Amino acid sequence: AQSVTQPDIHITVSEGASLELRCNYSYGATPYLFWYVQSPGQGLQLLLKYFSGDTLVQGIKGFEAEFKRSQSSFNLRKPSVHWSDAAEYFCAVGGSGGYQKVTFGTGTKLQVIP
Amino acid sequence: GAGVSQSPSNKVTEKGKDVELRCDPISGHTALYWYRQSLGQGLEFLIYFQGNSAPDKSGLPSDRFSAERTGGSVSTLTIQRTQQEDSAVYLCASSFAASENEQFFGPGTRLTVL
């Protein structure tokens, strides 16, 4: 069964510092991978997705993620964090070929300090 | 509409009462999903609709939970005889087609069972 692990429940970074959020997945075939962000009281918004091709994916708000098949990872990065990036981030895995259930991780809550 | 809408945004009910949660997906989206988000638990898949049928309802936690979708559009999630453990945020998402796994989320309904 597919699964997603986000090992960091909570991360605190200083504004302007770089950020990396970890995501490890388990999936039997080539996965579809996603990062979503949830601001307080809001629904989830897609940041970026990987389906195939270039393993470095660019997303909105200056985020990027790199798919590493050998490590079963899809870590999210941002070179310089802004206070508005404080939110909860969810990694998710799904599959191709008709309906494939998308499984979400438990999320990483990001706090940004001035 | 511009996005996925859900109503009510908040619902407080007494244990044992029935509740109905509504989701209006993005127009033209054929796939619709319900998730439950409990504190610290990530996103729990409940049910998936393709059109008006539900090919995957494996995530419904008990027979007190049911959902329907009419006209390939609006969906209602019904919880009968609510229990305190049903307290959570219920999120709805839609996507253009089953094979298109990018989902667009509504803001959620926060359910509190007293």
Side-chain angles (χ1 to χ4, degrees):
Chain A
Q2 61 195 57
S3 66
V4 176
T5 301
Q6 294 182 248
D8 303 307
I9 297 172
H10 190 273
I11 282 184
T12 300
V13 300
S14 299
E15 191 170 14
S18 63
L19 172 70
E20 182 168 29
L21 302 182
R22 296 183 290 166
C23 172
N24 292 95
Y25 69 90
S26 173
Y27 188 75
T30 300
Y32 285 3
L33 294 160
F34 309 83
W35 275 100
Y36 286 85
V37 60
Q38 185 178 33
S39 299
Q42 304 296 315
L44 278 74
Q45 179 185 20
L46 182 71
L47 278 177
L48 48 79
K49 61 188 178 186
Y50 170 79
F51 284 176
S52 65
D54 193 345
T55 57
L56 185 62
V57 180
Q58 302 297 320
I60 62 171
K61 305 184 181 187
F63 285 91
E64 67 177 25
E66 186 171 12
F67 171 58
K68 294 186 177 180
R69 184 187 299 276
S70 62
Q71 298 177 21
S72 297
S73 69
F74 189 58
N75 294 349
L76 182 71
R77 300 194 295 248
K78 187 170 185 178
S80 178
V81 169
H82 188 263
W83 63 267
S84 60
D85 294 324
E88 190 156 19
Y89 293 80
F90 292 90
C91 181
V93 64
S96 62
Y99 168 69
Q100 295 286 330
K101 184 189 302 182
V102 176
T103 300
F104 286 81
T106 51
T108 297
K109 188 164 289 187
L110 174 65
Q111 180 182 11
V112 180
I113 56 177
Chain B
V4 178
S5 61
Q6 292 185 246
S7 60
S9 55
N10 280 285
K11 177 71 176 178
V12 180
T13 190
E14 294 179 347
K15 178 181 173 181
K17 300 286 189 182
D18 297 351
V19 296
E20 287 189 350
L21 312 180
R22 177 187 168 106
C23 172
D24 280 278
I26 292 173
S27 177
H29 279 192
T30 57
L32 186 147
Y33 310 80
W34 283 99
Y35 296 90
R36 181 166 68 175
Q37 186 176 24
S38 303
L39 194 61
Q41 298 298 313
L43 283 170
E44 177 187 3
F45 169 82
L46 298 178
I47 188 170
Y48 153 72
F49 286 93
Q50 177 59 32
N52 291 336
S53 64
D56 188 345
K57 53 180 76 172
S58 63
L60 294 177
S62 75
D63 58 8
R64 296 186 295 105
F65 287 72
S66 63
E68 65 175 9
R69 189 179 184 193
T70 56
S73 181
V74 172
S75 176
T76 302
L77 177 69
T78 301
I79 308 173
Q80 295 178 310
R81 305 181 303 281
T82 52
Q83 304 295 311
Q84 288 184 332
E85 60 263 29
D86 299 335
S87 296
V89 175
Y90 290 83
L91 290 167
C92 175
S94 69
S95 66
F96 181 69
S99 60
E100 174 57 77
N101 282 295
E102 178 179 349
Q103 297 177 27
F104 295 83
F105 283 79
T109 293
R110 181 176 296 279
L111 174 65
T112 303
V113 182
L114 302 177

